[in-house]
């Protein structure tokens, strides 16, 4: 049977106290909406439709191409939000998932089980429910003889109904045709004056159609984020889930409580990650990588047997055996080939460094193409920016750049060439040449005696 999905993403989320649409707040490096889209896509619906409203342009900018959308001009309730998707789903046979875009913890496996249960029950509607220790604020599942009789919203519940702990998570599967037929009959006769999607359940019951409920094993999956407190709770749960997955896959996390790994990060076996490490974005880490405390890595690729020591790496690539740090910074578009060493307080930007090249101390390398086995002395600077334009530095294999050299780009240093310490190099240096670019030293005999003593108090 065909599957369809409607994702509710129109709300402003006033309790978030933010100009950003609620569904675009992030959990573990992905927007809440992106988490829901990922989980929904995993069950392979024929059509996925997002209902957008507040901040629609921003929300649409995050949606993948396969997700269609309808804009809810007025916020008239969940029933109204689903109903406006009817033109895209009208008269189609199949099962329609309805899910809120602020439920980032829902798992694809749960949605698969929900669809399977709905089919097995041959139900017109199936509600995803959970047992809450404190059900305050949730719609309650009211059962009769073990079967779902109705859903009662908190503001419409009597004292008995408020005591019920089985709650509606806001995720459903409906027979697609039956859903839109029922939505044409709902009203705003309730405490909120809105069109409740939950009212279709009573319509189905009145028509003697089967309504079933699938109870979650893990209540945490049901959490809907409505404020910053809930956002932080979702963040913690998601990060615990992510860290557990990596550890079970053979990654050593010395202290998971202080290790922050985004949802889309991939890490290979036998990698070791020390405490106070942040790994973000689309980072891919291969086997046997070591990352020490205080490091931050974003959307980078670390091949096997690389090491990062207390450093920051952004949108860069480390080939096998490369090592970085401590206190180094790789800025975007940096590529370190095999066995490159980037050491203390070295910054590299938009540069490629060849096999075995070393920059051990206090160096800036920007917009440079560097060959193999080049050695940078401490304090070297590629002077790549004149205030208006960026210029390129080219350094060939086995060149030796003396300490405190300034290479004024655009410039080329040939293979096996040397620049001497303290030089300002403004012209190309060819193969096997040694370049001096400093003033001649002059010693003035006895001049120091005429100067004040620096040791006097």
């Amino acid at each position: 049977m065909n599957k369809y999905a409607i994702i509710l993403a129109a709300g402003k989320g006033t309790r978030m106290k933010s100009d950003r649409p609620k569904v675009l707040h992030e959990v573990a490096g992905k927007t809440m909406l992106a988490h829901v889209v990922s989980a929904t896509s995993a069950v392979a619906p024929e059509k996925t439709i997002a209902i957008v409203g507040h901040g629609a342009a921003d929300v649409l900018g995050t949606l993948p191409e396969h997700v269609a959308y309808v804009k809810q001009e007025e916020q008239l309730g969940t029933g109204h939000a689903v109903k406006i998707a009817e033109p895209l789903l009208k008269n189609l046979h199949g099962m329609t998932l309805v899910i809120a875009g602020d439920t980032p913890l829902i798992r694809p496996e749960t949605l698969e089980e929900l669809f399977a249960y709905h089919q097995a029950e041959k139900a017109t509607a199936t509600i995803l429910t959970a047992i809450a220790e404190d059900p305050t604020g949730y719609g309650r599942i009211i059962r009769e003889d073990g079967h779902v009789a109705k859903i009662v919203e908190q503001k419409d519940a009597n004292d008995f109904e408020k005591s019920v702990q089985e709650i509606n998570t806001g995720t459903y599967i409906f027979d697609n045709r039956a859903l839109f037929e029922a939505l044409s009959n709902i009203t705003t006769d309730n405490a909120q004056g809105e069109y409740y999607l939950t009212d279709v359940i009573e319509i189905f019951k009145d028509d003697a159609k089967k309504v079933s409920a699938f109870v979650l094993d893990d209540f945490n999956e049901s959490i809907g984020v409505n404020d910053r407190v809930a956002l932080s709770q979702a963040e913690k749960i998601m990060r615990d889930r992510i860290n557990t997955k990596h550890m079970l896959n053979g990654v050593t996390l010395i202290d998971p409580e202080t290790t922050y790994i985004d949802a889309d990060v991939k890490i290979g076996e036998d990698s070791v990650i020390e405490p106070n490490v942040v790994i973000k974005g689309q980072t891919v880490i291969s086997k046997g990588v070591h990352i020490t405390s205080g490091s931050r890595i974003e959307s980078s690729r670390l091949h096997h047997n690389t090491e990062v020591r207390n450093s920051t790496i952004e949108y860069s690539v480390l080939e096998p055996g490369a090592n970085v740090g401590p206190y180094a910074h790789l800025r975007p578009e940096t590529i370190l080939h095999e066995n490159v060493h980037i050491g203390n307080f070295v910054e590299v930007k938009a540069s490629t460094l060849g096999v075995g090249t070393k920059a051990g101390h206090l160096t800036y390398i920007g917009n440079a193409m560097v060959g193999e086995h080049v050695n940078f002395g401490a304090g070297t600077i590629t002077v790549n920016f004149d205030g208006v334009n960026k210029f390129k530095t080219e350094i060939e294999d086995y060149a030796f750049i003396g300490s405190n050299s300034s290479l004024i780009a655009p410039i080329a240093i040939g293979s096996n060439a040397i620049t001497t310490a303290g030089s300002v190099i403004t012209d190309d240096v060819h193969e096997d040449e040694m370049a001096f670019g400093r003033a001649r030293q002059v010693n003035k005999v006895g001049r120091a005696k005429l100067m004040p003593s620096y040791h006097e108090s």
Side-chain angles (χ1 to χ4, degrees):
M1 187 180 296
N2 287 340
K3 300 173 184 174
Y4 311 103
I6 298 173
I7 302 173
L8 306 180
K12 180 178 181 179
T14 54
R15 282 180 282 172
M16 297 295 288
K17 292 182 169 54
S18 174
D19 292 333
R20 183 188 304 178
K22 179 172 69 168
V23 296
L24 296 189
H25 285 266
E26 292 188 352
V27 173
K30 288 174 65 172
T31 67
M32 292 193 285
L33 180 57
H35 282 291
V36 174
V37 169
S38 293
T40 301
S41 297
V43 302
E46 296 291 321
K47 290 186 178 182
T48 300
I49 301 161
I51 309 301
V52 301
H54 177 73
D58 292 333
V59 174
L60 292 177
T62 71
L63 290 176
E65 290 184 0
H66 74 274
V67 177
Y69 73 93
V70 179
K71 187 173 182 181
Q72 187 183 22
E73 299 291 349
E74 294 183 88
Q75 311 296 296
L76 302 178
T78 52
H80 176 258
V82 174
K83 183 174 173 56
I84 64 174
E86 184 173 10
L88 298 180
L89 294 173
K90 190 174 183 179
N91 298 324
L92 293 176
H93 289 284
M95 305 174 287
T96 298
L97 169 71
V98 177
I99 186 169
D102 62 0
T103 54
L105 298 173
I106 196 73
R107 294 176 185 264
E109 297 85 355
T110 296
L111 296 183
E112 288 280 13
E113 292 171 1
L114 181 61
F115 271 110
Y117 184 84
H118 176 80
Q119 271 194 289
E121 289 287 300
K122 297 180 180 177
T124 301
T126 300
I127 308 160
L128 183 64
T129 70
I131 306 302
E133 290 186 16
D134 179 7
T136 304
Y138 291 96
R140 309 305 202 278
I141 303 297
I142 307 303
R143 293 179 180 263
E144 294 177 359
D145 299 325
H147 301 290
V148 176
K150 59 181 178 178
I151 303 173
V152 179
E153 299 299 325
Q154 171 81 24
K155 293 183 178 181
D156 300 313
N158 59 36
D159 288 343
F160 167 75
E161 291 165 340
K162 288 179 181 177
S163 71
V164 173
Q165 290 183 289
E166 186 177 9
I167 58 98
N168 174 25
T169 70
T171 297
Y172 315 85
I173 293 180
F174 298 100
D175 174 89
N176 186 66
R177 284 188 163 186
L179 169 62
F180 290 106
E181 288 173 8
L183 284 172
S184 66
N185 294 315
I186 63 175
T187 71
T188 58
D189 184 19
N190 52 59
Q192 292 283 84
E194 295 182 347
Y195 293 98
Y196 287 164
L197 178 59
T198 51
D199 286 350
V200 303
I201 301 301
E202 286 196 58
I203 292 173
F204 291 153
K205 296 298 292 186
D206 290 343
D207 291 343
K209 292 177 178 175
K210 186 173 184 179
V211 176
S212 60
F214 180 77
V215 183
L216 273 170
D217 291 330
D218 181 2
F219 174 79
N220 287 335
E221 287 191 59
S222 72
I223 291 175
V225 174
N226 292 310
D227 57 31
R228 306 283 181 151
V229 175
L231 185 68
S232 70
Q233 292 170 342
E235 180 86 13
K236 185 178 187 306
I237 292 165
M238 181 65 79
R239 291 201 181 279
D240 287 346
R241 184 189 292 180
I242 291 167
N243 287 356
T244 298
K245 177 193 73 173
H246 286 301
M247 289 186 288
L248 292 175
N249 286 340
V251 178
T252 295
L253 305 183
I254 303 299
D255 183 9
E257 292 295 319
T258 61
T259 303
Y260 301 89
I261 303 173
D262 277 357
D264 289 335
V265 171
K266 296 178 174 58
I267 307 176
E269 297 173 8
D270 292 325
S271 290
V272 177
I273 300 173
E274 295 183 5
N276 300 309
V277 168
V278 176
I279 308 176
K280 297 181 65 63
Q282 306 294 317
T283 296
V284 177
I285 297 173
S286 298
K287 295 182 177 181
V289 173
H290 186 192
I291 303 172
T292 74
S293 296
S295 295
R296 184 181 186 276
I297 299 166
E298 181 172 0
S299 296
S300 296
R301 177 68 189 261
L302 279 60
H303 289 266
H304 62 271
N305 298 329
T306 54
E307 184 175 13
V308 179
R309 299 190 298 277
N310 196 16
S311 295
T312 297
I313 298 177
E314 305 168 287
Y315 299 89
S316 295
V317 176
L318 275 64
E319 296 289 351
N323 65 89
V324 176
Y327 310 113
H329 185 185
L330 301 190
R331 291 167 58 191
E333 301 180 52
T334 292
I335 300 173
L336 307 184
H337 285 290
E338 292 89 341
N339 301 318
V340 168
H341 168 61
I342 298 297
N344 300 269
F345 301 103
V346 174
E347 179 181 352
V348 186
K349 185 216 76 169
S351 298
T352 298
L353 278 63
V355 174
T357 286
K358 294 177 173 58
H361 324 274
L362 303 163
T363 291
Y364 171 69
I365 302 169
N367 299 94
M369 181 65 67
V370 182
E372 299 182 1
H373 302 287
V374 172
N375 189 85
F376 289 88
T380 295
I381 301 172
T382 59
V383 185
N384 60 323
F385 184 48
D386 66 0
V388 178
N389 299 303
K390 298 285 180 68
F391 295 99
K392 189 172 183 180
T393 297
E394 297 183 25
I395 303 174
E396 296 184 14
D397 299 348
Y398 295 97
F400 183 92
I401 311 300
S403 295
N404 204 33
S405 291
S406 293
L407 309 181
I408 312 299
I411 198 165
I413 309 297
S415 62
N416 206 44
I418 296 173
T419 69
T420 59
S423 292
V424 177
I425 305 298
T426 58
D427 297 320
D428 291 351
V429 182
H430 300 105
E431 182 178 357
D432 294 329
E433 290 182 345
M434 178 182 289
F436 297 81
R438 62 193 183 207
R440 181 183 298 275
Q441 179 174 323
V442 177
N443 293 3
K444 299 292 185 179
V445 177
R447 177 66 63 85
K449 290 183 178 181
L450 302 177
M451 304 297 290
S453 173
Y454 293 106
H455 300 289
E456 294 178 356
S457 59

